[in-house]
Amino acid sequence: MEALDTLVRKLALAVAVFLVLPPSALRRSRFGVTAASPVDAADCDLLGCGGPYDCYGNGWPNFLPRTPGGRYNIPLSAFDGGSEPAGEQQQETPVCLLGTANNYLPWVTDEGRLTVRKGHQALDLSNLRFTDRGIWALVQSFAPLMPLEEVQHLSMANNELTLLPSPSLKKFPNVRLLSLRGNAFTNLDAEREVFNKLPTLPMLRVLDMRNCSLRALSGDFFGNVSGLQYLFLSNNRITTLPMEIFYPLRSLLHLDLSHMDTRRIGEERIENPFMKLIAGMELNHNLFLPLQTLTFLDLSNTRLEYQAFIALRSVQRRVKYVSYCNIGLPAIVDYLFVAKSIEMLDISYNVGVAQSLHRASFALLKDSLEVLYFRDSMVQQLSWLGPLAKLRVLNLRGNILRTLHRENFANLTSLEQLDLSYNYISAWNQQILTHSGALRNVNLRNNSIVILTTDMLHDFSRLTNMGLGGNTIQCSCNYLKFLHNILNNTGAGAYTISAEPLIVDKAGQLSPSIKLSLENVQLFDYDQSEYFCMNFTSNQKMDPLQLQDCLVIDDEFINAELPEADADEGAAAATQSKTLVYVFVSVAISFLVVCAFGLYYYWFHLKYFFKIVKNSAVLSFFNDDNKLYLDKSGLLKEADFHYDVFVSYSNADRTWVLDQLLPNMEGVSQINLCLHERDFEVGYGILENIISCMDRSRCLMLIVSESFLLSHWCQFEMHLAQHRLMETRRDELILVLLQDIPRRKCPKTLSYLLKTKTYIKWPAGSDGEQLLFWKRLHKSLLAAKT
């Protein structure tokens, strides 16, 4: 034992000597230790500089502006050049805008090593693989060698700690920046309070606890660090947070809760597609309410339980930078943006959101939002862009956009960067970017552009960087004229387009007086293989610069291929064919008008038909050889019914069902109701209980309210009821409206049912109206019963 203590003391002495070397001796960069070099204060982040020590940074960029109104330092992959960014297709987890915590921790590397060194200000105990006892012994050994109370930067990252090193941390009362990342704190002992929460550290401003295998935190975990401003908890396994956990953190500016592993063990692991409705991180509805000064919130790649989204309404009004990327967001609702102060927002990889978009979806952010990432979310239309007049960066990469309209971009006068790559956009014949005078970077890679129109070229002339690679553009002299004057490579992967004599006036019309130049535009992704053109006659790809039939003349319009004035040959044959063409065009137009009228008249029914087909396909998934989820006995007319009515309702309407519906049905008319909280059989899955009880009920009743529409299970029961009624050829469905439903909140299935079924509305007024309500409902149910 004495030999071990001696060895630890010697090792501590060696490490201490290494750690206190002056800054002129060593400099740690992102890739190791290099010779020192002058430090530019502008390159230092606020978290790593400003104290009596030098900062070198770990090489990770910071996206946020350094000064109010400054430019965003966003390394958009859209403008990196080439095709798909390296490694993007291999990513298992979507990469979101705000990125990992590394972007905002310049004083520590991604291995947990400090990048700050000078005298006794910093102590690096990372990557030593010390256990709980080893760290305690090491700190004890340092006490006589260096003044621990002067340490402001401290890293114990990537050791083998299982207990929170609270006794050791007490030796550093003035520590400001602390990293404990990479330790498996699986033994936070509730019985030993010293290892269950942080000690008193009044000067602590930044706490890094990423990738610490945390599953739960006590409510007073941060009770002794009330001055904390930056908190990083990403890459843990926290499934719920206590309501009071953030009460002491009134000064918190930055909160990182991204990349939480919320996978559960047990019945949630069953392969059930409806389990995604309830699996996720649980948050109290008022969790963020104490964080009055919060400006940065990152929830990216943390799946939330469906009721946890309500907690987002408690985000306070100073928040500026928010990531809801890949959190399973079901829809855009007003309470997401009640702060009205968000400047940078990422809602990418939330596939269900696009279906709820409308013109006022982002209206609450019209005076603040400057950066919006909305990638890979199945966005189909852009009418919701209208209010966002202050938007500067817009990323819509990987959606299903097909056409662009000028009115959608009319208010985006401050737009600087636009990424529309990997969509299905075709050529446009109106100048859509006329009002976006600040726009300089546009990415249109991998779309469905076949030709370059005059209006497109007019829009491109305003740009500095653009990308068109990966489009199947038709081989033509226009395309050759667009590319032929590429003179020299002005940078890695960027080529300058020379001036083209396209003549356009201020109104966008051809004019002999004003020339429109493309000389300032660069193709950031230019590569010969990316800019091949397609000969649709031979169905072959060709190099447009090798086209032999096109003679490029410098004074020629870039898009004008006018016929020769003396071209009279074949005029007679053309005149004879005109009549036939006119007749054919007239017949085709008449046919299209009739089809369009019929499609408009029956459009709602067609949409609902496809909705039913989709629901049928989903429900058929549950039929397999091992277990028959859907009971086919409901198809038989002589099937026995155990209940008169299956009642589908939201928990928010439970009081009305128990106090009003139940006494008036079972107590007065002897009508047997099936209620999920009373009649579902214990031991069976929720899905099995729903289907079984529906099939054993004579008719189905939906208690419709706004809470009903917000419940995923109620939505599922409504779709399933419609499907089962069609499958069993029954028509016993009763709709009870507890309140008026706004049209914009009414889903398609309910809209169709309200149009095709007679419904009954609960009167909130006099007793006489309610008596008439029960009389009508009794009559309907008794008729179904007989």
Short mmCIF file of all heavy atoms in Angstrom, two decimals, residues 3 117 119 127 187 269 298 378 398 561 581 598 745:
data_model
loop_
_atom_site.label_atom_id
_atom_site.label_comp_id
_atom_site.label_asym_id
_atom_site.label_seq_id
_atom_site.Cartn_x
_atom_site.Cartn_y
_atom_site.Cartn_z
N ALA A 3 3.87 1.47 -1.18
CA ALA A 3 4.50 1.57 -2.50
C ALA A 3 3.56 2.21 -3.50
O ALA A 3 3.95 3.03 -4.34
CB ALA A 3 4.94 0.17 -2.97
N ARG A 117 -3.30 26.90 -21.22
CA ARG A 117 -2.20 26.58 -20.31
C ARG A 117 -1.47 27.87 -19.93
O ARG A 117 -1.05 28.63 -20.77
CB ARG A 117 -1.20 25.63 -20.96
CG ARG A 117 -1.82 24.29 -21.26
CD ARG A 117 -0.73 23.24 -21.43
NE ARG A 117 -1.32 21.94 -21.63
CZ ARG A 117 -1.80 21.19 -20.65
NH1 ARG A 117 -1.74 21.62 -19.43
NH2 ARG A 117 -2.34 20.01 -20.90
N GLY A 119 0.76 28.80 -16.11
CA GLY A 119 0.97 28.79 -14.66
C GLY A 119 0.03 27.82 -13.96
O GLY A 119 -0.14 26.67 -14.34
N ASN A 127 -7.97 11.73 -19.33
CA ASN A 127 -7.41 10.59 -20.05
C ASN A 127 -6.34 9.84 -19.25
O ASN A 127 -5.40 9.27 -19.82
CB ASN A 127 -6.84 11.03 -21.40
CG ASN A 127 -7.89 11.61 -22.32
OD1 ASN A 127 -8.64 10.88 -22.95
ND2 ASN A 127 -7.96 12.94 -22.36
N ASN A 187 -23.17 5.24 -10.67
CA ASN A 187 -23.41 4.97 -9.25
C ASN A 187 -23.68 6.24 -8.47
O ASN A 187 -23.14 6.45 -7.39
CB ASN A 187 -22.20 4.24 -8.63
CG ASN A 187 -21.99 2.87 -9.24
OD1 ASN A 187 -22.94 2.26 -9.70
ND2 ASN A 187 -20.76 2.42 -9.27
N ARG A 269 -39.72 -2.23 -26.03
CA ARG A 269 -38.83 -2.75 -27.07
C ARG A 269 -39.59 -3.62 -28.07
O ARG A 269 -39.05 -4.05 -29.07
CB ARG A 269 -37.71 -3.58 -26.43
CG ARG A 269 -36.88 -2.80 -25.42
CD ARG A 269 -35.92 -1.87 -26.07
NE ARG A 269 -34.85 -2.60 -26.74
CZ ARG A 269 -33.80 -2.02 -27.27
NH1 ARG A 269 -33.68 -0.72 -27.19
NH2 ARG A 269 -32.87 -2.73 -27.86
N ASP A 298 -30.60 23.41 -27.06
CA ASP A 298 -30.36 22.37 -28.06
C ASP A 298 -30.98 21.06 -27.59
O ASP A 298 -30.53 20.45 -26.63
CB ASP A 298 -28.85 22.19 -28.29
CG ASP A 298 -28.56 21.27 -29.48
OD1 ASP A 298 -29.52 20.79 -30.10
OD2 ASP A 298 -27.37 21.06 -29.78
N MET A 378 -39.98 16.51 -45.74
CA MET A 378 -41.09 16.30 -46.67
C MET A 378 -41.88 17.58 -46.94
O MET A 378 -43.09 17.56 -47.16
CB MET A 378 -42.04 15.22 -46.12
CG MET A 378 -41.37 13.89 -45.82
SD MET A 378 -40.74 13.07 -47.30
CE MET A 378 -42.27 12.51 -48.05
N GLY A 398 -33.17 18.49 -49.29
CA GLY A 398 -33.70 17.14 -49.11
C GLY A 398 -35.19 17.06 -48.87
O GLY A 398 -35.65 16.12 -48.23
N GLU A 561 -32.26 32.26 -79.69
CA GLU A 561 -31.96 31.49 -80.88
C GLU A 561 -33.05 31.80 -81.90
O GLU A 561 -34.02 31.06 -82.06
CB GLU A 561 -31.91 30.00 -80.57
CG GLU A 561 -30.74 29.65 -79.66
CD GLU A 561 -30.66 28.15 -79.39
OE1 GLU A 561 -31.51 27.43 -79.90
OE2 GLU A 561 -29.74 27.74 -78.69
N VAL A 581 -52.89 21.01 -86.10
CA VAL A 581 -52.36 21.29 -84.77
C VAL A 581 -53.39 22.03 -83.93
O VAL A 581 -53.62 21.72 -82.75
CB VAL A 581 -51.05 22.09 -84.86
CG1 VAL A 581 -50.60 22.55 -83.48
CG2 VAL A 581 -49.96 21.25 -85.52
N GLY A 598 -63.79 18.10 -62.97
CA GLY A 598 -64.18 16.90 -62.21
C GLY A 598 -63.25 16.66 -61.04
O GLY A 598 -63.70 16.28 -59.94
N LYS A 745 -57.79 23.18 -37.62
CA LYS A 745 -57.35 22.12 -36.72
C LYS A 745 -58.05 20.80 -37.00
O LYS A 745 -57.74 19.79 -36.37
CB LYS A 745 -57.62 22.52 -35.26
CG LYS A 745 -56.80 23.72 -34.78
CD LYS A 745 -57.07 24.00 -33.31
CE LYS A 745 -56.25 25.18 -32.81
NZ LYS A 745 -56.48 25.44 -31.37
#
